[in-house]
Amino acid sequence: MVLDLFLIGLAIALYPLPGMALVLVLSSPRGVYKGLAFITAWLACLVAVIALVLLCTGGEPPAPRSPPSLASLAATLVIGLSLVVYSEHRRRRSRRVTAASDDGEGTAGSGRSPASRMDQATGWSAAGLAVLLQPWGMVSAAAATVVKADASHAQSFLALLGFCVLATSTLLAMELYTVFAPEDAQRDLTRLRAWLSRHKDQAIVLLCLLLGLWLVGRSLYQLTG
């Protein structure tokens, strides 16, 4: 369980879309306050999912090869396959967009830019954005893994705490950087967002593919072992 939660938490931490959104949030008026609302809502989602799973299991892992255990493995397998399929879908869409851009078929966007829209956002809006941008496929994989947690052992609580911290680590780092070095953070995070904007599709494809293959392999091994 610990290794699975570590890999899922790492994939969530490296997922580019929430980080790109948080840069816009932090760049807006009262950005630190809105960023705190964003991170709080993000973390609350993770905690709520874990708490719900523990509530359903009673804090006791199901017996090996029992129906609940097999159902958890089957869910992990489905989630892993879904991540692999989404990775391929994203890769093909990225190639189509690139080809259209090379052919001069792209059209200019209209309306206000994301930055200008974020200027008008509130803390509640930032919190809602965090919920929407949560990589729910990966969070679902974490939920299927948390089924194995044993609430009677401190190791399980440490693993769950570590997962939440790891999955939120990049967002926390951005927030703290902005608090303690606002001018440097504004410059560096803007550059980071520009880089992520150019490479987000490749990052999403790679993260979803690798995590999906891991989940598929682990679940198949345990189902057939």
Side-chain angles (χ1 to χ4, degrees):
M1 182 189 77
V2 175
L3 178 57
D4 290 343
L5 285 179
F6 172 79
L7 293 176
I8 296 169
L10 182 61
I12 293 175
L14 296 177
Y15 199 74
L17 298 184
M20 293 172 61
L22 184 58
V23 172
L24 290 178
V25 170
L26 293 172
S27 301
S28 66
R30 303 183 68 195
V32 172
Y33 161 74
K34 296 177 186 177
L36 181 60
F38 185 101
I39 293 173
T40 300
W42 173 277
L43 188 57
C45 288
L46 298 177
V47 173
V49 168
I50 291 173
L52 181 61
V53 173
L54 292 179
L55 182 64
C56 293
T57 63
E60 297 181 359
R65 314 304 298 179
S66 65
S69 177
L70 294 176
S72 173
L73 292 174
T76 302
L77 176 60
V78 171
I79 294 168
L81 289 172
S82 298
L83 288 173
V84 173
V85 171
Y86 178 72
S87 171
E88 177 61 15
H89 165 74
R90 190 89 188 195
R91 185 187 69 83
R92 292 186 178 185
R93 190 181 74 169
S94 177
R95 291 183 62 182
R96 289 196 300 268
V97 171
T98 301
S101 177
D102 292 341
D103 292 340
E105 296 177 1
T107 58
S110 60
R112 293 182 299 170
S113 67
S116 64
R117 291 195 297 270
M118 190 54 64
D119 289 345
Q120 306 300 321
T122 64
W124 288 108
S125 301
L129 184 62
V131 175
L132 291 174
L133 291 179
Q134 194 84 225
W136 288 107
M138 297 179 183
V139 175
S140 299
T145 303
V146 172
V147 171
K148 306 172 187 175
D150 188 348
S152 64
H153 290 81
Q155 181 183 6
S156 293
F157 279 106
L158 290 176
L160 297 176
L161 176 62
F163 164 75
C164 291
V165 172
L166 178 59
T168 317
S169 58
T170 53
L171 305 180
L172 284 172
M174 292 180 182
E175 177 80 7
L176 293 174
Y177 191 21
T178 303
V179 170
F180 292 107
E183 294 183 0
D184 292 341
Q186 179 72 19
R187 180 186 65 251
D188 294 339
L189 292 180
T190 299
R191 291 175 179 172
L192 175 62
R193 185 180 187 279
W195 186 88
L196 289 174
S197 181
R198 295 192 300 270
H199 299 89
K200 65 179 184 299
D201 286 324
Q202 297 95 316
I204 292 172
V205 167
L206 183 61
L207 286 171
C208 290
L209 178 62
L210 292 179
L211 182 59
L213 290 176
W214 169 263
L215 294 174
V216 169
R218 286 277 288 183
S219 56
L220 285 176
Y221 174 79
Q222 294 178 16
L223 282 170
T224 60

